[in-house]
Amino acid sequence: MPPMTAVRTRIRRAARAVGATLAALTLVAAALGGLAAWQNTYDLRERAVTVRHGGRTLDGVLALPEEGKGPFPLVVFVHGDGPVDATHDTFYRPIWESFARAGYASLSWNKPGVGGSPGDWLDQSMDDRADEAVDAIAWARQRSDIDEHRIGLWGASQAGWVLPKIAAKDHGIRFVIAVSPAVNWHQQGRYNLLAELRRDGAADTEIAAALRRRETGLELLARGAPYEEYVRAVGDPQGMTPARWRFVSRNHTADATADLPALRGTPVLLVLAGHDVNVDTADTEAAYERLLPGSALHVAHYPGATHGLVKHAVEASRPRLTATAVFAPRALFAEGFLTDQQDFLASVHEEGAKR
């Protein structure tokens, strides 16, 4: 057995080693924390706002360019599906920053029932969502820091049914950026179902069973069947809650082709991803080109992107996705996505100046 002095020496050395390691880890943690804070600091001014118009109360964010009093042109954000808050869990901020650098403000709000906002987004139809946006735009036009004559829309996915409705109700919309927009609810649903099953390697028998289940659901929706009948017919509801069933019942006939002509002559940037399992991009592009003929339609393809315009290689790896979101959020998006939107807004501004 070694003498006590030797033991104490070893303990002291071990303690010093542990202390050095902890100090190093603390420095690394501090450095990573500083990097995350820096990467999540954006060149813009965010203002918490409460939109009150037409009897509505919407809690949101107005993101302004870093300098100047305005009036600034405005991009109004229209969310996709789900319980989305004003920042879309910070996902919007890199986009807001790119718009701010182009001199544009951005307006976004919590969906009803999200972040303390009154109501329930699952109680809304697509027309309800359009009316909500029209009220928000009317509110924005009253602000001295917003240019009431230069207001446009940005919307993704489910917003494909809402954007043209807004333009039909508000003829002052000057431009639209449509990101992975849906066109026909039934067609999109079938495409999404098959794309996800094939991606996950489902067998032919599983695909056939899923399609039969879907047809049963559509038949029930067509005759306004209650949720309880749906559950009896399909067995496991697989995430279809009573509230979701009511939402789908209100909206399953949505088809943007009836409303898209309202955008004719309006500059539209159609953004499409190469790895989109939610929306049939070929069908969407064909519909937009058929219904919006002329030079006002601009189509941008991102072969390496997913439905949300995130890089496919990043989204495919959960650890990489998490690390990128924390330490390099601007790098989440497909190459060129942010700058192409800036360029589009610049072209809209130049075209407007010529008129």
Side-chain angles (χ1 to χ4, degrees):
M1 179 179 293
M4 288 302 296
T5 53
V7 172
R8 293 191 186 98
T9 299
R10 291 176 187 176
I11 291 173
R12 285 195 295 269
R13 287 175 179 171
R16 284 197 295 270
V18 170
T21 300
L22 290 174
L25 290 174
T26 300
L27 288 173
V28 170
L32 290 175
L35 175 62
W38 173 60
Q39 286 292 331
N40 285 273
T41 300
Y42 297 94
D43 295 334
L44 50 80
R45 294 172 289 169
E46 286 189 25
R47 301 285 185 265
V49 296
T50 300
V51 177
R52 289 188 174 90
H53 195 275
R56 302 178 194 273
T57 300
L58 307 170
D59 296 323
V61 174
L62 180 64
L64 301 168
E66 197 168 32
E67 296 181 354
K69 295 182 178 179
F72 303 106
L74 177 68
V75 184
V76 175
F77 276 63
V78 182
H79 307 307
D81 195 11
V84 185
D85 74 334
T87 71
H88 203 330
D89 292 326
T90 78
F91 184 77
Y92 286 155
R93 286 190 169 114
I95 304 174
W96 294 347
E97 180 183 61
S98 70
F99 292 169
R101 288 172 174 169
Y104 282 72
S106 298
L107 175 64
S108 180
W109 55 90
N110 300 336
K111 279 191 175 183
V114 177
S117 289
D120 186 345
W121 65 272
L122 284 168
D123 290 336
Q124 291 186 306
S125 67
M126 297 301 112
D127 279 305
D128 293 334
R129 297 198 60 202
D131 289 339
E132 177 183 88
V134 168
D135 282 343
I137 292 167
W139 170 87
R141 285 199 173 105
Q142 297 171 7
R143 293 181 61 95
S144 61
D145 51 0
I146 298 300
D147 184 343
E148 62 177 316
H149 302 296
R150 295 169 61 196
I151 295 178
L153 309 172
W154 185 103
S157 192
Q158 191 183 96
W161 293 304
V162 184
L163 298 172
K165 288 182 180 294
I166 297 170
K169 296 170 184 287
D170 187 328
H171 301 296
I173 299 301
R174 292 292 174 254
F175 59 86
V176 171
I177 299 175
V179 180
S180 305
V183 174
N184 179 279
W185 187 290
H186 289 180
Q187 192 276 345
Q188 180 210 332
R190 189 176 194 279
Y191 171 85
N192 174 234
L193 175 65
L194 291 174
E196 289 187 346
L197 287 170
R198 289 165 179 160
R199 178 197 61 194
D200 297 338
D204 290 343
T205 54
E206 293 177 288
I207 293 174
L211 288 174
R212 286 195 299 271
R213 176 191 176 96
R214 179 177 181 277
E215 287 305 315
T216 298
L218 291 177
E219 290 171 6
L220 293 169
L221 287 168
R223 59 184 177 81
Y227 176 73
E228 293 74 19
E229 186 175 352
Y230 169 78
V231 174
R232 287 196 300 270
V234 304
D236 181 4
Q238 296 185 5
M240 180 66 79
T241 65
R244 184 72 186 182
W245 179 255
R246 292 195 303 271
F247 179 76
V248 174
S249 297
R250 285 189 185 92
N251 295 295
H252 73 98
T253 59
D255 188 334
T257 58
D259 298 306
L260 274 170
L263 293 175
R264 285 179 182 166
T266 300
V268 173
L269 176 62
L270 175 61
V271 177
L272 302 172
H275 291 271
D276 197 329
V277 298
N278 295 77
V279 168
D280 184 343
T281 56
D283 178 76
T284 290
E285 184 172 7
Y288 271 67
E289 289 182 342
R290 182 178 74 255
L291 296 167
L292 302 178
S295 60
L297 176 64
H298 309 265
V299 183
H301 290 273
Y302 300 89
T306 61
H307 180 63
L309 272 294
V310 172
K311 295 172 184 172
H312 180 255
V314 173
E315 190 169 304
S317 167
R318 184 167 294 277
R320 184 176 176 185
L321 178 63
T322 301
T324 305
V326 173
F327 297 112
R330 297 167 185 82
L332 284 170
F333 297 102
E335 296 294 338
F337 173 61
L338 296 177
T339 54
D340 290 347
Q341 291 176 104
Q342 279 184 283
D343 292 342
F344 172 73
L345 292 179
S347 70
V348 168
H349 175 68
E350 291 173 4
E351 186 63 29
K354 293 176 183 177
R355 293 176 183 174

